[in-house]
Amino acid sequence: MDVRILKSSFAVVERRAEHAVKFFYSHLFWHNPSVRTLFPDSVHDMERQRDRLFAALTHVIAHLDDESFGPYLRDLGRDHRKFLVRPEHYAAVGASLLAALAETSGSAWTPSVEKAWAEAYQVMADAMTAGADSGVDPPWWDAEVVRHLQYGTDIGVLTLRPHAPFPYLPGQYTSVSSRRLPTTWRTYSIGNAPRPDNTLDLHVSRVDQGRLSTTLVRETRPGDMLRLGAAGGQLTLRREDRPVSLIAAGTGWAPIRALLEDLAEHPPDQDVRLFVVARDGAHLYDRPLIDAYAARCGWLAVTYITPAPGRHRNQATDRLATALGHRGLWPDQDVYLSGPPQFVDETAHLLQELGARPGRLFHDAVPARGHGSGERPLGFGEWFLDRPAPHWLDPSARAPGVSFGSGRVAGPA
């Protein structure tokens, strides 16, 4: 792929982002009428969908030359088997994308630019198709809810028992759908290392007006059935015999808990530092378990970060910055981050200033922000390149996600 041409071309498109996205959907629906039923009915929801498409496209361009780009696309294609995505869907989206870029670019749309975009999209589609064709796993796993714990009104921990072995590594996530909302899928981190009984935990923070998260936290009961997509994500232990720092914000604690369970099961030779950030003490819902690990594991040091009494919850991140600054040895650490995109991005930047090596900072992809909306790329972004991950510190600020698949694209989750 000609990254230089793609990025300079996209800079032209950015100036007319709204027109580009509206043209894309008009072209897609006009030439593929059956696809329209996969998207929201309301004007408001489609406006949000358009914002997310451009945010996803921005993320694509920003990560074209990342080493993880190919494996990420293959994982995404494998996951999208649950939507029963067919080759003609890739072709339809590609044709409409190129048409929208050409319309928006005007005289800047030259033969060389068109060639670069066509080749780039083919690389993406081929990688996703290869991922879809490479596995022997089913498109999804049915899983029974065997326990439901609720913390306050907006946090739930669901224990599931898949009906078939569900392969995953500690720190990974899965996409989830409920029979109550059968065409809605959202991504949640798995909050435990693999167990002998094959059960797994999902940590769910309810989103205001979020249909799936509300269903999971407030309505789901033991005996209910959920569906799980293939596990994904790169937040997995490297086991490089170096000291480890684990940093989690809110229910971003879930994958960090899974990593900690794995470390406790296979104790490391080096020390482990755990930083747990929450907007108030009530949101440290797993503190008894963390304290038990700290008492039992001599290699583990725990630091809790919350705002001072009466202070705004954002003070927690300021206090984390102070705590990290008081710790040393960052060049020697493998650091694992989990939390909202801005939190991860800013914390990673701070850690590099403190001496941490970029190649030893591990987190799942932090996407660029969308055009004008301030929202992270969700929705079409999951189809096109980006998996959604919850905005942990402020659930009410989390953007609702949608996906292009074989069912209706949903609203808030």
Side-chain angles (χ1 to χ4, degrees):
M1 293 184 293
D2 194 322
V3 176
R4 181 188 61 81
I5 289 181
L6 293 169
K7 290 189 175 184
S8 61
S9 168
F10 189 68
V12 175
V13 175
E14 279 187 302
R15 295 194 288 270
R16 302 183 66 200
E18 184 175 358
H19 176 71
V21 178
K22 286 182 177 179
F23 188 94
F24 167 82
Y25 281 111
S26 297
H27 188 279
L28 181 65
F29 297 154
W30 178 260
H31 292 279
N32 305 274
S34 63
V35 173
R36 181 63 184 91
T37 60
L38 304 178
F39 290 83
D41 294 325
S42 75
V43 173
H44 175 70
D45 285 346
M46 276 308 300
E47 287 177 350
R48 301 180 76 170
Q49 175 82 1
R50 288 193 289 265
D51 283 346
R52 292 174 196 137
L53 168 61
F54 199 82
L57 201 52
T58 302
H59 177 58
V60 170
I61 298 304
H63 292 82
L64 282 172
D65 46 5
D66 287 1
E67 291 183 1
S68 61
F69 199 56
Y72 181 73
L73 285 170
R74 290 190 289 274
D75 284 347
L76 190 61
R78 180 171 64 97
D79 177 65
H80 272 71
R81 292 175 303 158
K82 68 179 183 280
F83 297 121
L84 304 181
V85 173
R86 300 185 299 273
E88 57 264 33
H89 289 141
Y90 289 96
V93 168
S96 295
L97 175 64
L98 291 179
L101 293 171
E103 167 69 18
T104 310
S105 298
S107 61
W109 189 254
T110 64
S112 61
V113 170
E114 181 178 10
K115 180 174 181 290
W117 275 103
E119 290 175 347
Y121 183 78
Q122 194 60 52
V123 168
M124 299 170 200
D126 287 348
M128 292 180 69
T129 302
D133 294 340
S134 63
V136 295
D137 293 331
W140 61 74
W141 285 256
D142 290 319
E144 179 183 358
V145 179
V146 297
R147 186 177 66 171
H148 184 290
L149 301 177
Q150 190 161 335
Y151 299 91
T153 59
D154 293 329
I155 295 178
V157 176
L158 286 68
T159 300
L160 313 179
R161 180 178 288 115
H163 287 180
F166 180 77
Y168 71 94
L169 297 174
Q172 290 190 307
Y173 50 72
T174 180
S175 50
V176 180
S177 180
S178 168
R179 288 184 177 178
R180 299 170 189 262
L181 298 167
T183 58
T184 300
W185 292 82
R186 297 293 179 267
T187 303
Y188 296 98
S189 293
I190 301 170
N192 59 280
R195 297 166 175 157
D197 65 359
N198 294 319
T199 60
L200 56 91
D201 294 339
L202 301 180
H203 294 220
V204 182
S205 182
R206 193 187 72 84
V207 183
D208 288 343
Q209 301 181 2
R211 293 185 294 170
L212 183 57
S213 62
T214 298
T215 294
L216 294 177
V217 172
R218 297 186 176 179
E219 301 173 16
T220 300
R221 299 290 181 266
D224 289 352
M225 298 298 299
L226 303 178
R227 279 184 171 175
L228 307 178
Q234 304 301 314
L235 192 68
T236 55
L237 285 171
R238 272 60 179 181
R239 294 282 183 178
E240 296 291 346
D241 195 28
R242 289 191 288 261
V244 169
S245 289
L246 308 172
I247 305 174
T251 45
W253 154 247
I256 298 299
R257 170 176 169 160
L259 298 180
L260 186 58
E261 281 191 12
D262 191 48
L263 287 166
E265 182 69 20
H266 309 283
D269 295 327
Q270 302 284 347
D271 290 338
V272 175
R273 307 188 297 202
L274 171 63
F275 301 84
V276 184
V277 186
R279 54 179 164 173
D280 56 53
H283 283 77
L284 292 173
Y285 58 92
D286 244 351
R287 182 162 186 165
L289 179 138
I290 300 171
D291 290 342
Y293 273 128
R296 191 176 81 216
C297 304
W299 41 264
L300 177 64
V302 178
T303 302
Y304 296 107
I305 308 289
T306 59
R311 299 295 297 273
H312 191 275
R313 61 175 177 248
N314 289 349
Q315 192 200 31
T317 52
D318 295 335
R319 301 184 89 177
L320 173 66
T322 300
L324 297 180
H326 288 164
R327 303 299 195 277
L329 306 176
W330 289 112
D332 302 326
Q333 301 281 316
D334 279 355
V335 184
Y336 297 83
L337 297 171
S338 179
Q342 185 175 356
F343 170 85
V344 170
D345 190 33
E346 293 179 357
T347 304
H349 180 73
L350 171 62
L351 289 168
Q352 290 182 58
E353 290 184 338
L354 294 173
R357 301 183 184 184
R360 296 183 184 176
L361 292 173
F362 305 112
H363 53 79
D364 282 321
V366 178
R369 291 185 175 272
H371 175 77
S373 67
E375 295 181 345
R376 59 173 314 200
L378 294 170
F380 184 82
E382 187 191 15
W383 154 258
F384 191 50
L385 278 185
D386 179 52
R387 296 178 187 271
H391 186 120
W392 299 112
L393 277 181
D394 183 8
S396 64
R398 218 182 304 167
V402 291
S403 294
F404 184 87
S406 60
R408 174 168 299 281
V409 174

